[in-house]
Amino acid sequence: MSRRAKPGLVLVPGLLCDALLWQAQIEALEGRIECWVADHTRSETMAGVAADVLREVPFERFALAGLSMGGYVALEIMRQAPGRVSRLALLDTGARADTPEQLAKREGLISLATRGRFIGVAQALLPLLLHRSRLGDSELVSTVKQMAVNIGKDAFIRQERAIMSRIDSLPFLPGIACPALVLCGRQDALTPVERQRGNGSSDPRRSPARARGLRPSLDA
């Protein structure tokens, strides 16, 4: 008799993040859950990023977790292939499209990176990505910076373009049929709790929780 296959879990990192973001979770789930980290760096539209993930994911049906940009990707995956997702976790993310102010800030970061100051982008984002009490943690800060280096300038620009292309998913949320979790950092500077409250609606399957910063898988 063949052994039952382990459940599959697709993990989608945030902006300027890679598999290092999920390392602790992957290690904790080893032997029980088959984890797979999506590559979200190749397309310049959110629809394209989600299609990339769906084309390469090694599971027919899977649980899905996305953090920040990864949450935007997860919502687009739900839009394109809802029947393949058994459970959904949206971490420090939002369902609304960017405001004009947010779009302008992203254009500014793209301009900074294009002018050869990509390392400055990662440095400027640090206080927004990590809780202020963790900015002195050299190992944590080094991990965040290393992920940015791993992603690189060109992929960062594609990621920002994809984020800017996403549509407002708030009207889409009530139609999500699978069990879902919404978890947010209490002091998330990029996606404040007030902005994330709309992700949960009043559906009892969606349970807002509290962590610390924007990277709860690292900053806990």
Side-chain angles (χ1 to χ4, degrees):
M1 181 182 297
S2 61
R3 291 184 298 175
R4 184 179 179 181
K6 290 181 288 188
L9 171 59
V10 173
L11 300 166
V12 191
L15 177 71
L16 283 179
C17 295
D18 61 10
L20 289 174
L21 180 76
W22 303 107
Q23 186 172 340
Q25 289 72 37
I26 292 171
E27 291 174 357
L29 294 171
E30 187 175 4
R32 294 181 291 146
I33 304 291
E34 186 73 28
C35 296
W36 182 78
V37 180
D39 181 351
H40 60 337
T41 64
R42 290 170 297 172
S43 292
E44 291 192 345
T45 67
M46 195 55 63
V49 174
D52 290 342
V53 175
L54 286 167
R55 185 168 52 250
E56 296 188 350
V57 63
F59 319 115
E60 181 56 36
R61 188 166 165 79
F62 48 87
L64 175 63
L67 184 145
S68 192
M69 177 191 177
Y72 310 150
V73 178
L75 286 170
E76 181 59 32
I77 288 172
M78 291 299 304
R79 190 176 283 107
Q80 293 186 19
R84 295 185 65 182
V85 180
S86 60
R87 290 173 175 80
L88 174 67
L90 300 173
L91 314 176
D92 285 280
T93 192
R96 297 177 177 88
D98 275 352
T99 64
E101 180 184 7
Q102 290 169 322
L103 290 172
K105 287 180 179 179
R106 295 192 192 282
E107 287 286 7
L109 291 174
I110 289 172
S111 176
L112 194 64
T114 303
R115 298 199 308 269
R117 298 177 61 187
F118 171 65
I119 299 302
V121 170
Q123 187 66 40
L125 287 175
L126 266 178
L128 300 176
L129 301 178
L130 299 176
H131 187 265
R132 60 181 178 274
S133 68
R134 303 300 303 278
L135 291 173
D137 184 330
S138 59
E139 183 177 355
L140 178 61
V141 170
S142 176
T143 297
V144 173
K145 288 183 176 180
Q146 184 59 55
M147 287 193 294
V149 170
N150 294 347
I151 295 298
K153 180 193 76 173
D154 293 340
F156 165 72
I157 293 173
R158 289 193 294 271
Q159 287 183 327
E160 286 283 39
R161 293 293 185 202
I163 291 171
M164 295 166 69
S165 78
R166 75 190 192 281
I167 63 174
D168 188 348
S169 293
L170 204 59
F172 172 72
L173 296 182
I176 294 176
C178 68
L181 166 74
V182 176
L183 184 146
C184 57
R186 184 184 314 171
Q187 294 168 310
D188 184 340
L190 275 180
T191 314
V193 172
E194 291 73 20
R195 188 174 183 224
Q196 298 181 56
R197 288 189 193 280
N199 295 344
S201 72
S202 58
D203 192 326
R205 294 168 303 178
R206 301 183 177 91
S207 306
R210 288 189 174 185
R212 292 184 67 186
L214 177 64
R215 298 290 183 259
S217 58
L218 292 172
D219 181 22

